[in-house]
Amino acid sequence: MSTLDGLKLSTAKKPTHIPTVVFRRNKLSIKLWEQIQLAKSQIDGTTFAVKKFRTVKDKETGLRKNVEVNKRLREWWFKNEQGKVCVSIKYGSQLIELAKGKHSVECDTAQGLIKALEQIKTAVEQGELDTQIAAASVTLRKGFNK
């Protein structure tokens, strides 16, 4: 037992499931990280690709196999009439309302876009947008029940 004496032991157990609020935060946080990396790569002039696995049926043998492919990433930002960069946050296909009646953040430069995305990511991880994410999730789920 002398080797375990230097460790802080606890009775904590791994939870069996993640609460839906935390799951939604993590989902949006990952998407925001992808957007930040996409913006950084465009500034640097490099390419950014997220890999995912797709199951394909081999025509010759008839067996299914997993193939690694690039995930299609779409930019969440656009230029407005004044030439400034605006970014809208999406949960699935739903736009998140950041403030009453306001769905986008206006940035002067590409560096400002990255800072805005990082601030929004921090806000999501701290739970400041939980009500908006929950509302978007409900609206998104209604589309599947048609």
Side-chain angles (χ1 to χ4, degrees), residues 9-128:
L9 303 176
S10 74
T11 59
K13 293 182 181 178
K14 183 178 178 182
T16 55
H17 72 284
I18 298 174
T20 56
V21 174
V22 176
F23 178 78
R24 290 175 183 154
R25 279 185 208 157
N26 292 341
K27 181 179 174 181
L28 186 56
S29 180
I30 291 168
K31 298 295 182 183
L32 282 165
W33 176 84
E34 290 174 355
Q35 291 296 313
I36 291 168
Q37 298 305 316
L38 185 62
K40 285 180 180 178
S41 70
Q42 285 187 356
I43 290 172
D44 296 338
T46 59
T47 58
F48 173 71
V50 177
K51 302 287 185 182
K52 70 176 184 178
F53 287 99
R54 171 164 276 152
T55 304
V56 221
K57 188 174 182 180
D58 190 3
K59 292 181 180 179
E60 297 170 0
T61 62
L63 298 174
R64 295 187 181 271
K65 62 180 179 178
N66 286 336
V67 178
E68 192 176 44
V69 294
N70 288 338
K71 184 176 173 183
R72 185 175 76 187
L73 291 176
R74 294 186 179 185
E75 302 167 349
W76 287 357
W77 59 87
F78 57 93
K79 287 197 175 193
N80 65 4
E81 298 86 26
Q82 292 82 25
K84 295 188 178 185
V85 179
C86 295
V87 62
S88 298
I89 307 304
K90 294 182 180 181
Y91 185 82
S93 62
Q94 299 295 314
L95 287 177
I96 299 282
E97 191 174 45
L98 301 172
K100 186 71 176 167
K102 303 197 179 190
H103 296 280
S104 63
V105 177
E106 189 175 285
C107 307
D108 293 327
T109 63
Q111 293 296 333
L113 169 68
I114 293 172
K115 287 181 183 177
L117 285 169
E118 288 172 346
Q119 285 180 335
I120 293 169
K121 184 175 182 285
T122 303
V124 166
E125 290 170 349
Q126 292 175 352
E128 295 177 23

Side-chain angles (χ1 to χ4, degrees), residues 24 91 94 131-145:
R24 290 175 183 154
Y91 185 82
Q94 299 295 314
T131 55
Q132 291 95 324
I133 295 171
S137 177
V138 168
T139 307
L140 199 61
R141 277 186 278 136
K142 283 182 183 176
F144 289 104
N145 293 334

